[in-house]
Amino acid sequence: MKHAFTVHCEFTKTLNVMETHMRTLFDRRQWLVLFTAMGLMPVMAQTENWPAKPIRTIVPFPAGGGTDIVARNVTQKISDATKWTFVIDNKPGSGGNLGIDAAAKAAPDGYSLVIGQTSNLAINPSLYAKLPYDPVKDLTPIGLIGNAPLVLVTAVDSPFKTLADVIKAAKAQPGHINYATSGNGTVAHLATELLQREAAIKLTHIPYKGAAQGINDVIGGQVQLYMSSVPTLLGHIKNGKLRALAITSAKRTDDLPQIPTVAESGYKGFEAVTWFGLLGPAKLPTAVVATTNAELNKALNSADLRKKLEDQGLNVTPSSSDEFGKLIKSDIAKWAPVVKDSGAKVD
């Protein structure tokens, strides 16, 4: 027993000497760097060959809609230049939440990307009681694509000729004037709520399930005002059925150059637009982000794609990944009080 104990002590002493020796070669931080590098080797190897297969691009809305058209035009242009293969995966539902959630839970290998926009990244965090993803923590912003301004319209035979006319009438009879949008919690709904905050007025919201019926009711005089994106309403404005009163972007749009902005109409700094951007899951490799951002911006700066998007009413706004990330954070903070004051909530 004594001999065994002695052997054990000698063995322990030897281990301690070896450990001390190893610590002279590597301090704890050096070991951490070594093991971290070893852990990253598979990811680095994958990144060097990326993309080696088709890139799934999730669109959180149905095929044929505005977001889908933007996604297909942008990915096609990138594909033409790089020979990368993109596969559009339409995942509509829950205000765009299903598609964003699918991207957030995908492997961060660069083969699952998503087109996000103001509603599902900046508004839904305040609108939904239980959002299945965190747009800041669970996603990696790659770059902005562009934004689409909204326009406030009325029937062509309406007594309202300007935004000032609406404000004056609303102050005289709070809640008497009604306005329609394509639904509760939409960018159009909350943009009008923001306008009410800025102008200190009260309008009555009438939500519709989609744009078509709401537009018809405004044209027919059943509803006094309607707020929606410029592409949605442009044809009705140009054919003389609707009168545009104000644009919600920071500057006038080329599609309706004669229509003043809300900011020009007396509410300095007012801006409420629907923006679109490309993202991936959290922890997306830096090389993938940088490469995709560069190709995205190259595509957006091409004359043919820019014209296609602008013809759809989109202002093209290339950006860095950091700039897009800052916009998401600032818009979450911007829309949170507006959602709260509007009373809109989805369980």
Side-chain angles (χ1 to χ4, degrees):
M1 293 292 294
K2 185 176 180 181
H3 177 71
F5 178 77
T6 301
V7 170
H8 174 74
C9 289
E10 291 298 325
F11 181 71
T12 302
K13 188 183 297 184
T14 302
L15 287 178
N16 289 337
V17 170
M18 290 176 63
E19 181 182 4
T20 301
H21 180 64
M22 292 300 291
R23 282 179 177 174
T24 63
L25 296 176
F26 294 94
D27 63 24
R28 291 180 67 186
R29 282 181 296 178
Q30 287 174 314
W31 278 111
L32 180 62
V33 170
L34 176 62
F35 286 126
T36 300
M38 290 172 65
L40 288 177
M41 283 175 63
V43 175
M44 292 170 64
Q46 292 173 13
T47 302
E48 287 178 2
N49 298 320
W50 183 89
K53 60 182 180 180
I55 301 169
R56 178 178 67 145
T57 305
I58 300 170
V59 175
F61 297 100
T67 306
D68 181 70
I69 293 171
V70 169
R72 292 176 189 277
N73 282 332
V74 170
T75 55
Q76 184 60 56
K77 183 61 181 179
I78 296 175
S79 180
D80 290 343
T82 62
K83 306 308 178 187
W84 299 352
T85 300
F86 291 90
V87 177
I88 299 297
D89 183 9
N90 295 94
K91 283 187 174 297
S94 190
N97 292 343
L98 293 183
I100 298 294
D101 188 44
K105 289 179 170 57
D109 54 10
Y111 292 104
S112 289
L113 306 180
V114 65
I115 301 291
Q117 61 177 159
T118 308
S119 62
N120 44 46
L121 296 180
I123 291 175
N124 286 0
S126 299
L127 184 65
Y128 283 77
K130 294 181 180 179
L131 202 64
Y133 58 88
D134 184 315
V136 175
K137 295 179 180 178
D138 297 337
L139 295 165
T140 300
I142 294 173
L144 267 172
I145 294 172
N147 63 64
L150 307 172
V151 57
L152 182 67
V153 299
T154 188
V156 71
D157 57 356
S158 165
F160 303 135
K161 309 294 184 194
T162 64
L163 178 59
D165 292 338
V166 174
I167 304 299
K168 182 178 178 180
K171 285 183 179 293
Q173 293 182 292
H176 182 72
I177 298 173
N178 53 43
Y179 74 96
T181 69
S182 59
N184 276 315
T186 58
V187 179
H189 171 207
L190 296 174
T192 313
E193 292 290 330
L194 183 61
L195 174 61
Q196 292 178 74
R197 281 166 55 97
E198 296 291 320
I201 59 172
K202 179 62 180 175
L203 305 173
T204 297
H205 182 217
I206 302 178
Y208 283 76
K209 292 182 179 180
Q213 187 58 51
I215 292 171
N216 288 337
D217 283 356
V218 174
I219 293 172
Q222 288 87 358
V223 181
Q224 291 158 289
L225 301 169
Y226 194 89
M227 178 78 88
S228 190
S229 66
V230 170
T232 300
L233 298 173
L234 189 60
H236 299 286
I237 295 169
K238 289 189 171 181
N239 68 21
K241 291 184 178 180
L242 292 173
R243 176 187 297 137
L245 301 176
I247 299 290
T248 64
S249 50
K251 61 181 182 180
R252 296 192 184 195
T253 176
D254 292 340
D255 293 310
L256 297 168
Q258 75 281 13
I259 305 303
T261 65
V262 173
E264 285 181 273
S265 303
Y267 304 96
K268 189 176 180 180
F270 186 97
E271 183 178 15
V273 298
T274 297
W275 43 254
F276 304 85
L278 186 65
L279 309 95
K283 299 180 181 179
L284 202 61
T286 303
V288 171
V289 176
T291 301
T292 309
N293 175 268
E295 294 300 337
L296 172 64
N297 287 344
K298 190 186 300 182
L300 294 174
N301 285 316
S302 65
D304 56 340
L305 178 61
R306 182 176 288 269
K307 185 177 186 307
K308 275 186 181 180
L309 297 178
E310 289 177 347
D311 285 347
Q312 295 165 27
L314 200 69
N315 297 317
V316 178
T317 56
S319 78
S320 68
S321 170
D322 287 343
E323 288 168 339
F324 186 22
K326 289 176 182 177
L327 174 64
I328 294 171
K329 291 177 183 177
S330 66
D331 265 22
I332 289 173
K334 170 183 175 178
W335 289 114
V338 181
V339 173
K340 182 178 179 180
D341 289 353
S342 74
K345 208 70 181 173
V346 180
D347 295 324

PDB file of all heavy atoms in Angstrom, residues 283-309:
ATOM      1  N   LYS A 283     -24.614  35.620 -36.469  1.00  0.00           N
ATOM      2  CA  LYS A 283     -23.303  34.959 -36.556  1.00  0.00           C
ATOM      3  C   LYS A 283     -22.945  34.552 -37.981  1.00  0.00           C
ATOM      4  O   LYS A 283     -22.184  33.611 -38.198  1.00  0.00           O
ATOM      5  CB  LYS A 283     -23.239  33.743 -35.619  1.00  0.00           C
ATOM      6  CG  LYS A 283     -23.436  34.096 -34.152  1.00  0.00           C
ATOM      7  CD  LYS A 283     -23.353  32.860 -33.266  1.00  0.00           C
ATOM      8  CE  LYS A 283     -23.586  33.241 -31.805  1.00  0.00           C
ATOM      9  NZ  LYS A 283     -23.536  32.056 -30.911  1.00  0.00           N
ATOM     10  N   LEU A 284     -23.469  35.262 -38.951  1.00  0.00           N
ATOM     11  CA  LEU A 284     -23.093  35.016 -40.342  1.00  0.00           C
ATOM     12  C   LEU A 284     -21.613  35.386 -40.497  1.00  0.00           C
ATOM     13  O   LEU A 284     -21.181  36.422 -40.008  1.00  0.00           O
ATOM     14  CB  LEU A 284     -23.958  35.886 -41.261  1.00  0.00           C
ATOM     15  CG  LEU A 284     -24.122  35.478 -42.715  1.00  0.00           C
ATOM     16  CD1 LEU A 284     -24.778  34.113 -42.825  1.00  0.00           C
ATOM     17  CD2 LEU A 284     -24.961  36.517 -43.457  1.00  0.00           C
ATOM     18  N   PRO A 285     -20.807  34.544 -41.149  1.00  0.00           N
ATOM     19  CA  PRO A 285     -19.379  34.840 -41.291  1.00  0.00           C
ATOM     20  C   PRO A 285     -19.127  36.221 -41.897  1.00  0.00           C
ATOM     21  O   PRO A 285     -19.806  36.626 -42.841  1.00  0.00           O
ATOM     22  CB  PRO A 285     -18.883  33.722 -42.228  1.00  0.00           C
ATOM     23  CG  PRO A 285     -19.814  32.590 -41.977  1.00  0.00           C
ATOM     24  CD  PRO A 285     -21.154  33.231 -41.737  1.00  0.00           C
ATOM     25  N   THR A 286     -18.151  36.907 -41.350  1.00  0.00           N
ATOM     26  CA  THR A 286     -17.830  38.269 -41.801  1.00  0.00           C
ATOM     27  C   THR A 286     -17.532  38.314 -43.297  1.00  0.00           C
ATOM     28  O   THR A 286     -17.926  39.254 -43.990  1.00  0.00           O
ATOM     29  CB  THR A 286     -16.619  38.813 -41.022  1.00  0.00           C
ATOM     30  OG1 THR A 286     -16.915  38.773 -39.626  1.00  0.00           O
ATOM     31  CG2 THR A 286     -16.312  40.244 -41.426  1.00  0.00           C
ATOM     32  N   ALA A 287     -16.826  37.301 -43.786  1.00  0.00           N
ATOM     33  CA  ALA A 287     -16.482  37.270 -45.212  1.00  0.00           C
ATOM     34  C   ALA A 287     -17.720  37.171 -46.083  1.00  0.00           C
ATOM     35  O   ALA A 287     -17.802  37.784 -47.156  1.00  0.00           O
ATOM     36  CB  ALA A 287     -15.543  36.105 -45.490  1.00  0.00           C
ATOM     37  N   VAL A 288     -18.713  36.395 -45.658  1.00  0.00           N
ATOM     38  CA  VAL A 288     -19.964  36.264 -46.409  1.00  0.00           C
ATOM     39  C   VAL A 288     -20.711  37.584 -46.427  1.00  0.00           C
ATOM     40  O   VAL A 288     -21.229  38.017 -47.462  1.00  0.00           O
ATOM     41  CB  VAL A 288     -20.853  35.152 -45.803  1.00  0.00           C
ATOM     42  CG1 VAL A 288     -22.245  35.162 -46.434  1.00  0.00           C
ATOM     43  CG2 VAL A 288     -20.210  33.786 -46.006  1.00  0.00           C
ATOM     44  N   VAL A 289     -20.769  38.251 -45.279  1.00  0.00           N
ATOM     45  CA  VAL A 289     -21.446  39.548 -45.182  1.00  0.00           C
ATOM     46  C   VAL A 289     -20.778  40.563 -46.112  1.00  0.00           C
ATOM     47  O   VAL A 289     -21.447  41.262 -46.887  1.00  0.00           O
ATOM     48  CB  VAL A 289     -21.441  40.077 -43.735  1.00  0.00           C
ATOM     49  CG1 VAL A 289     -22.054  41.475 -43.675  1.00  0.00           C
ATOM     50  CG2 VAL A 289     -22.214  39.135 -42.817  1.00  0.00           C
ATOM     51  N   ALA A 290     -19.452  40.646 -46.035  1.00  0.00           N
ATOM     52  CA  ALA A 290     -18.720  41.631 -46.843  1.00  0.00           C
ATOM     53  C   ALA A 290     -18.869  41.364 -48.336  1.00  0.00           C
ATOM     54  O   ALA A 290     -19.110  42.286 -49.124  1.00  0.00           O
ATOM     55  CB  ALA A 290     -17.241  41.610 -46.452  1.00  0.00           C
ATOM     56  N   THR A 291     -18.746  40.087 -48.730  1.00  0.00           N
ATOM     57  CA  THR A 291     -18.854  39.734 -50.149  1.00  0.00           C
ATOM     58  C   THR A 291     -20.257  39.997 -50.682  1.00  0.00           C
ATOM     59  O   THR A 291     -20.433  40.567 -51.774  1.00  0.00           O
ATOM     60  CB  THR A 291     -18.499  38.249 -50.358  1.00  0.00           C
ATOM     61  OG1 THR A 291     -17.175  38.009 -49.890  1.00  0.00           O
ATOM     62  CG2 THR A 291     -18.583  37.866 -51.827  1.00  0.00           C
ATOM     63  N   THR A 292     -21.269  39.600 -49.916  1.00  0.00           N
ATOM     64  CA  THR A 292     -22.654  39.783 -50.362  1.00  0.00           C
ATOM     65  C   THR A 292     -23.023  41.259 -50.408  1.00  0.00           C
ATOM     66  O   THR A 292     -23.703  41.716 -51.330  1.00  0.00           O
ATOM     67  CB  THR A 292     -23.619  39.026 -49.431  1.00  0.00           C
ATOM     68  OG1 THR A 292     -23.177  37.686 -49.281  1.00  0.00           O
ATOM     69  CG2 THR A 292     -25.030  39.017 -50.008  1.00  0.00           C
ATOM     70  N   ASN A 293     -22.567  42.020 -49.415  1.00  0.00           N
ATOM     71  CA  ASN A 293     -22.832  43.453 -49.401  1.00  0.00           C
ATOM     72  C   ASN A 293     -22.226  44.137 -50.626  1.00  0.00           C
ATOM     73  O   ASN A 293     -22.864  44.983 -51.274  1.00  0.00           O
ATOM     74  CB  ASN A 293     -22.284  44.087 -48.125  1.00  0.00           C
ATOM     75  CG  ASN A 293     -22.431  45.606 -48.112  1.00  0.00           C
ATOM     76  OD1 ASN A 293     -21.522  46.324 -48.529  1.00  0.00           O
ATOM     77  ND2 ASN A 293     -23.571  46.088 -47.644  1.00  0.00           N
ATOM     78  N   ALA A 294     -20.994  43.744 -50.964  1.00  0.00           N
ATOM     79  CA  ALA A 294     -20.328  44.351 -52.125  1.00  0.00           C
ATOM     80  C   ALA A 294     -21.082  44.039 -53.412  1.00  0.00           C
ATOM     81  O   ALA A 294     -21.282  44.939 -54.254  1.00  0.00           O
ATOM     82  CB  ALA A 294     -18.891  43.835 -52.218  1.00  0.00           C
ATOM     83  N   GLU A 295     -21.519  42.800 -53.583  1.00  0.00           N
ATOM     84  CA  GLU A 295     -22.249  42.430 -54.800  1.00  0.00           C
ATOM     85  C   GLU A 295     -23.642  43.061 -54.833  1.00  0.00           C
ATOM     86  O   GLU A 295     -24.132  43.448 -55.896  1.00  0.00           O
ATOM     87  CB  GLU A 295     -22.360  40.908 -54.910  1.00  0.00           C
ATOM     88  CG  GLU A 295     -21.024  40.205 -55.120  1.00  0.00           C
ATOM     89  CD  GLU A 295     -20.320  40.642 -56.401  1.00  0.00           C
ATOM     90  OE1 GLU A 295     -20.988  41.137 -57.330  1.00  0.00           O
ATOM     91  OE2 GLU A 295     -19.078  40.494 -56.458  1.00  0.00           O
ATOM     92  N   LEU A 296     -24.282  43.159 -53.668  1.00  0.00           N
ATOM     93  CA  LEU A 296     -25.588  43.816 -53.594  1.00  0.00           C
ATOM     94  C   LEU A 296     -25.481  45.277 -54.012  1.00  0.00           C
ATOM     95  O   LEU A 296     -26.267  45.764 -54.837  1.00  0.00           O
ATOM     96  CB  LEU A 296     -26.136  43.715 -52.169  1.00  0.00           C
ATOM     97  CG  LEU A 296     -27.414  44.521 -51.867  1.00  0.00           C
ATOM     98  CD1 LEU A 296     -28.590  44.012 -52.706  1.00  0.00           C
ATOM     99  CD2 LEU A 296     -27.746  44.447 -50.379  1.00  0.00           C
ATOM    100  N   ASN A 297     -24.492  45.980 -53.470  1.00  0.00           N
ATOM    101  CA  ASN A 297     -24.346  47.400 -53.790  1.00  0.00           C
ATOM    102  C   ASN A 297     -23.940  47.621 -55.246  1.00  0.00           C
ATOM    103  O   ASN A 297     -24.365  48.588 -55.878  1.00  0.00           O
ATOM    104  CB  ASN A 297     -23.323  48.043 -52.849  1.00  0.00           C
ATOM    105  CG  ASN A 297     -23.867  48.208 -51.437  1.00  0.00           C
ATOM    106  OD1 ASN A 297     -25.076  48.114 -51.223  1.00  0.00           O
ATOM    107  ND2 ASN A 297     -22.993  48.438 -50.488  1.00  0.00           N
ATOM    108  N   LYS A 298     -23.132  46.707 -55.771  1.00  0.00           N
ATOM    109  CA  LYS A 298     -22.761  46.789 -57.188  1.00  0.00           C
ATOM    110  C   LYS A 298     -24.009  46.657 -58.061  1.00  0.00           C
ATOM    111  O   LYS A 298     -24.185  47.398 -59.041  1.00  0.00           O
ATOM    112  CB  LYS A 298     -21.754  45.686 -57.526  1.00  0.00           C
ATOM    113  CG  LYS A 298     -21.114  45.818 -58.901  1.00  0.00           C
ATOM    114  CD  LYS A 298     -20.237  44.610 -59.215  1.00  0.00           C
ATOM    115  CE  LYS A 298     -19.116  44.441 -58.218  1.00  0.00           C
ATOM    116  NZ  LYS A 298     -18.235  43.284 -58.566  1.00  0.00           N
ATOM    117  N   ALA A 299     -24.885  45.722 -57.688  1.00  0.00           N
ATOM    118  CA  ALA A 299     -26.129  45.529 -58.451  1.00  0.00           C
ATOM    119  C   ALA A 299     -27.029  46.751 -58.353  1.00  0.00           C
ATOM    120  O   ALA A 299     -27.598  47.207 -59.354  1.00  0.00           O
ATOM    121  CB  ALA A 299     -26.861  44.290 -57.930  1.00  0.00           C
ATOM    122  N   LEU A 300     -27.161  47.299 -57.138  1.00  0.00           N
ATOM    123  CA  LEU A 300     -28.039  48.450 -56.937  1.00  0.00           C
ATOM    124  C   LEU A 300     -27.535  49.704 -57.649  1.00  0.00           C
ATOM    125  O   LEU A 300     -28.326  50.583 -58.002  1.00  0.00           O
ATOM    126  CB  LEU A 300     -28.188  48.738 -55.435  1.00  0.00           C
ATOM    127  CG  LEU A 300     -28.912  47.672 -54.615  1.00  0.00           C
ATOM    128  CD1 LEU A 300     -28.862  48.015 -53.132  1.00  0.00           C
ATOM    129  CD2 LEU A 300     -30.359  47.515 -55.080  1.00  0.00           C
ATOM    130  N   ASN A 301     -26.239  49.790 -57.866  1.00  0.00           N
ATOM    131  CA  ASN A 301     -25.668  50.946 -58.551  1.00  0.00           C
ATOM    132  C   ASN A 301     -25.664  50.793 -60.072  1.00  0.00           C
ATOM    133  O   ASN A 301     -25.245  51.699 -60.784  1.00  0.00           O
ATOM    134  CB  ASN A 301     -24.242  51.201 -58.054  1.00  0.00           C
ATOM    135  CG  ASN A 301     -24.229  51.840 -56.672  1.00  0.00           C
ATOM    136  OD1 ASN A 301     -24.998  52.755 -56.398  1.00  0.00           O
ATOM    137  ND2 ASN A 301     -23.362  51.358 -55.790  1.00  0.00           N
ATOM    138  N   SER A 302     -26.124  49.634 -60.561  1.00  0.00           N
ATOM    139  CA  SER A 302     -26.214  49.443 -62.014  1.00  0.00           C
ATOM    140  C   SER A 302     -27.429  50.189 -62.554  1.00  0.00           C
ATOM    141  O   SER A 302     -28.481  50.238 -61.914  1.00  0.00           O
ATOM    142  CB  SER A 302     -26.311  47.958 -62.357  1.00  0.00           C
ATOM    143  OG  SER A 302     -27.519  47.405 -61.860  1.00  0.00           O
ATOM    144  N   ALA A 303     -27.283  50.773 -63.721  1.00  0.00           N
ATOM    145  CA  ALA A 303     -28.339  51.620 -64.282  1.00  0.00           C
ATOM    146  C   ALA A 303     -29.630  50.849 -64.548  1.00  0.00           C
ATOM    147  O   ALA A 303     -30.727  51.353 -64.282  1.00  0.00           O
ATOM    148  CB  ALA A 303     -27.843  52.268 -65.572  1.00  0.00           C
ATOM    149  N   ASP A 304     -29.518  49.622 -65.053  1.00  0.00           N
ATOM    150  CA  ASP A 304     -30.730  48.886 -65.436  1.00  0.00           C
ATOM    151  C   ASP A 304     -31.547  48.455 -64.218  1.00  0.00           C
ATOM    152  O   ASP A 304     -32.776  48.612 -64.191  1.00  0.00           O
ATOM    153  CB  ASP A 304     -30.391  47.679 -66.309  1.00  0.00           C
ATOM    154  CG  ASP A 304     -29.390  46.730 -65.665  1.00  0.00           C
ATOM    155  OD1 ASP A 304     -28.672  47.154 -64.735  1.00  0.00           O
ATOM    156  OD2 ASP A 304     -29.317  45.553 -66.086  1.00  0.00           O
ATOM    157  N   LEU A 305     -30.887  47.937 -63.165  1.00  0.00           N
ATOM    158  CA  LEU A 305     -31.634  47.528 -61.976  1.00  0.00           C
ATOM    159  C   LEU A 305     -32.207  48.746 -61.255  1.00  0.00           C
ATOM    160  O   LEU A 305     -33.353  48.719 -60.798  1.00  0.00           O
ATOM    161  CB  LEU A 305     -30.748  46.743 -61.011  1.00  0.00           C
ATOM    162  CG  LEU A 305     -31.441  46.315 -59.714  1.00  0.00           C
ATOM    163  CD1 LEU A 305     -32.619  45.390 -60.005  1.00  0.00           C
ATOM    164  CD2 LEU A 305     -30.461  45.633 -58.769  1.00  0.00           C
ATOM    165  N   ARG A 306     -31.413  49.811 -61.177  1.00  0.00           N
ATOM    166  CA  ARG A 306     -31.910  51.030 -60.523  1.00  0.00           C
ATOM    167  C   ARG A 306     -33.180  51.525 -61.206  1.00  0.00           C
ATOM    168  O   ARG A 306     -34.145  51.890 -60.548  1.00  0.00           O
ATOM    169  CB  ARG A 306     -30.823  52.112 -60.559  1.00  0.00           C
ATOM    170  CG  ARG A 306     -31.224  53.411 -59.870  1.00  0.00           C
ATOM    171  CD  ARG A 306     -30.062  54.384 -59.864  1.00  0.00           C
ATOM    172  NE  ARG A 306     -29.023  53.990 -58.943  1.00  0.00           N
ATOM    173  CZ  ARG A 306     -28.968  54.384 -57.671  1.00  0.00           C
ATOM    174  NH1 ARG A 306     -29.905  55.176 -57.187  1.00  0.00           N
ATOM    175  NH2 ARG A 306     -27.990  54.001 -56.897  1.00  0.00           N
ATOM    176  N   LYS A 307     -33.194  51.510 -62.548  1.00  0.00           N
ATOM    177  CA  LYS A 307     -34.388  51.967 -63.268  1.00  0.00           C
ATOM    178  C   LYS A 307     -35.580  51.058 -62.992  1.00  0.00           C
ATOM    179  O   LYS A 307     -36.703  51.534 -62.791  1.00  0.00           O
ATOM    180  CB  LYS A 307     -34.121  52.028 -64.763  1.00  0.00           C
ATOM    181  CG  LYS A 307     -35.299  52.626 -65.563  1.00  0.00           C
ATOM    182  CD  LYS A 307     -34.988  52.740 -67.030  1.00  0.00           C
ATOM    183  CE  LYS A 307     -36.112  53.479 -67.752  1.00  0.00           C
ATOM    184  NZ  LYS A 307     -37.458  52.917 -67.512  1.00  0.00           N
ATOM    185  N   LYS A 308     -35.341  49.730 -62.972  1.00  0.00           N
ATOM    186  CA  LYS A 308     -36.426  48.792 -62.692  1.00  0.00           C
ATOM    187  C   LYS A 308     -37.065  49.078 -61.340  1.00  0.00           C
ATOM    188  O   LYS A 308     -38.285  49.111 -61.199  1.00  0.00           O
ATOM    189  CB  LYS A 308     -35.901  47.347 -62.706  1.00  0.00           C
ATOM    190  CG  LYS A 308     -35.849  46.688 -64.064  1.00  0.00           C
ATOM    191  CD  LYS A 308     -35.442  45.228 -63.900  1.00  0.00           C
ATOM    192  CE  LYS A 308     -35.350  44.533 -65.259  1.00  0.00           C
ATOM    193  NZ  LYS A 308     -34.947  43.117 -65.099  1.00  0.00           N
ATOM    194  N   LEU A 309     -36.227  49.260 -60.337  1.00  0.00           N
ATOM    195  CA  LEU A 309     -36.733  49.485 -58.987  1.00  0.00           C
ATOM    196  C   LEU A 309     -37.402  50.849 -58.859  1.00  0.00           C
ATOM    197  O   LEU A 309     -38.447  50.995 -58.206  1.00  0.00           O
ATOM    198  CB  LEU A 309     -35.592  49.348 -57.970  1.00  0.00           C
ATOM    199  CG  LEU A 309     -34.945  47.962 -57.882  1.00  0.00           C
ATOM    200  CD1 LEU A 309     -33.797  47.969 -56.884  1.00  0.00           C
ATOM    201  CD2 LEU A 309     -35.973  46.902 -57.498  1.00  0.00           C
TER     202      LEU A 309
END
